[in-house]
Amino acid sequence: MGAPPILTVEQRAAALLKASQSRRRRADIKAKIKSGEFSIDTVLEIAANEDAVAKMRVRELLEALSGVGKVRASALMQRLNISPTRRIAGLGRHQIKELRNEFMKSSHAIKPGKLLVLSGPGGVGKSTVAARLRASGDFWVSVSATTRSPRSNEYDGVDYFFISDEEFSRRVRGDEFLEWAEFAGSRYGTPSSAVEEALLAGRNVLLEIEIDGAKQVKSHLPASLLVFLEPPTWEELIARLEGRGTDTPERRAERLQLAQDELAAAPFFDLVIVNDQVERVVEQLIGLTS
Ligand code: 5GP
C-alpha cells in the first residue's frame, strides 16, 4: 500500500466537511426510513446516485425499517447471504431483487406481527392462557425446545421439542435460540427461525417463557411486550402447584421456592395482569395486538 496523500490544511478541512455531510445525510435517510416516509426502494434509488447513501451499511438500512430490529435484520441478511459489513453499493443485483421482494411481502404488503412474551411464576396458569390464545387464532404460539423429560400428558413437537443435553448445547453454539435459560435443572429455549418467520408473515407471536428468557427477548427486540401473569393470591398459587400431581414432592417444593423468587420480578415487566379469570386475561392479551 502506498503512503497516504499529504493534504494541505484546506484539503483536510474539505475532506472532514464532506465526511460530516455524508454522515448527516445518512442519519437523515435513516430517520425518513424510520418514520415510514422512505421505503427500501426509495433508498436503493437514491443510493444509485449518491455516494454518501451508497456507503450506508445494509444492516443499518434494515434496522431502520419499522418492525425490523437487530435480530430480524441479521436473520434476513444471513438468509439472503449478505455479509454483516456489506454496504448498499456492494449489493449484487440478485440480492437487491431479493431484498425488494422481502419488503414487498413484509413491511409494506403485510404489517409485521407483534411479539408478546408471557411470563410469571410456575403454576400461575401461563400454559392455559397460551393454549386459549393459540385456539383463538389471534396468535402463533412458539414451541420451545427443552432438555427436561416429557410429562405423561405431553407430546413432542406439540408441548415442547424434547431434546438431549448435547443437542441443546449444539443449538446454543449454532445461535439457534432467540433466548434460552436454565430452570429447575433443565434448559429451555425459543427457536428463533420459526419466530422470525411468523413475525415476518404478519402473525402475532406469543412466547410463554420464564423471567430470565423474557428479559433476554426484551434486550434483543425492544418492541416486544412483556406481560407478567400474577396469581390472585399466594395461597392460590400454592394450591395450583400442589394440585398439579405430575411432579414429585421434591420437584414441587423446588418449584414453590422458585415461584417465590419469580414473583419478585413483576416490576421489570411492561404489564402485570392478575390471573383471576382466564377469559378476562385472554381478552386483555388479544386487545394488546390491535
Ligand atoms: P415447565 O417445565 O413447567 O413446562 O416449564 C418451566 C418454565 O420454563 C415455565 O416457567 C415456562 O414458562 C418456562 N419455559 C418454557 N419454555 C421456555 C423457553 O423457551 N425459554 C425460557 N426461558 N423459558 C421457558
Side-chain angles (χ1 to χ4, degrees):
M1 198 169 92
I6 299 170
L7 301 177
T8 63
V9 174
E10 290 77 19
Q11 282 170 327
R12 221 175 21 239
L16 283 174
L17 181 67
K18 186 163 176 241
S20 107
Q21 281 170 341
S22 297
R23 265 200 309 276
R24 266 214 303 277
R25 178 69 176 137
R26 284 196 288 272
D28 172 50
I29 296 268
K30 275 198 275 183
K32 290 201 160 94
I33 304 171
K34 268 205 175 84
S35 70
E37 189 181 331
F38 280 0
S39 69
I40 195 158
D41 258 357
T42 315
V43 180
L44 290 172
E45 260 168 48
I46 299 175
N49 300 305
E50 264 188 63
D51 203 35
V53 183
K55 281 193 181 139
M56 182 188 272
R57 291 200 195 275
V58 178
R59 185 179 47 77
E60 286 182 284
L61 165 65
L62 295 182
E63 285 175 9
L65 286 161
S66 135
V68 183
K70 278 191 193 325
V71 172
R72 286 171 73 185
S74 121
L76 185 59
M77 288 174 68
Q78 261 179 28
R79 188 149 54 80
L80 302 186
N81 241 328
I82 301 172
S83 83
T85 53
R86 181 69 46 87
R87 295 177 191 273
I88 296 178
L91 284 171
R93 262 222 309 261
H94 178 67
Q95 287 169 328
I96 289 183
K97 193 169 145 232
E98 294 260 33
L99 271 180
R100 283 206 163 107
N101 286 348
E102 190 66 41
F103 285 95
M104 287 291 289
K105 263 194 316 192
S106 61
S107 300
H108 303 298
I110 302 174
K111 205 164 118 264
K114 289 207 174 133
L115 179 59
L116 214 131
V117 182
L118 184 64
S119 230
V124 75
K126 283 173 292 179
S127 32
T128 308
V129 171
R132 297 280 179 92
L133 286 172
R134 181 187 274 133
S136 75
D138 287 283
F139 282 92
W140 177 84
V141 182
S142 165
V143 178
S144 299
T146 182
T147 59
R148 87 152 160 75
S149 313
R151 298 191 181 113
S152 58
N153 55 351
E154 288 178 329
Y155 294 95
D156 188 40
V158 177
D159 300 282
Y160 284 103
F161 295 106
F162 296 98
I163 61 174
S164 67
D165 232 23
E166 295 71 35
E167 177 57 18
F168 199 98
S169 300
R170 193 195 63 73
R171 295 190 193 185
V172 170
R173 282 195 305 273
D175 206 15
E176 291 182 33
F177 292 125
L178 173 59
E179 61 70 40
W180 69 271
E182 193 158 338
F183 184 92
S186 302
R187 285 187 288 171
Y188 298 81
T190 305
S192 32
S193 57
V195 171
E196 300 277 356
E197 268 166 38
L199 286 171
L200 282 171
R203 303 291 316 268
N204 295 315
V205 170
L206 181 82
L207 308 183
E208 185 248 291
I209 61 179
E210 55 71 64
I211 283 133
D212 212 50
K215 288 182 185 166
Q216 293 172 44
V217 174
K218 189 74 177 179
S219 75
H220 293 313
L221 302 169
S224 56
L225 193 69
L226 263 50
V227 178
F228 190 90
L229 203 56
E230 249 183 7
T233 61
W234 174 241
E235 287 69 29
E236 186 129 346
L237 187 67
I238 296 177
R240 285 185 202 181
L241 281 171
E242 293 293 323
R244 205 174 232 180
T246 45
D247 288 333
T248 59
E250 296 76 31
R251 184 77 164 170
R252 271 207 299 277
E254 221 173 76
R255 281 178 183 268
L256 210 58
Q257 178 58 51
L258 263 171
Q260 213 158 6
D261 299 341
E262 286 178 311
L263 273 175
F268 292 106
F269 282 70
D270 296 313
L271 194 69
V272 177
I273 299 183
V274 177
N275 189 15
D276 47 6
Q277 236 190 319
V278 177
E279 285 316 322
R280 197 186 61 86
V281 175
V282 168
E283 262 172 41
Q284 217 174 330
L285 294 177
I286 293 176
L288 292 173
T289 63
S290 51

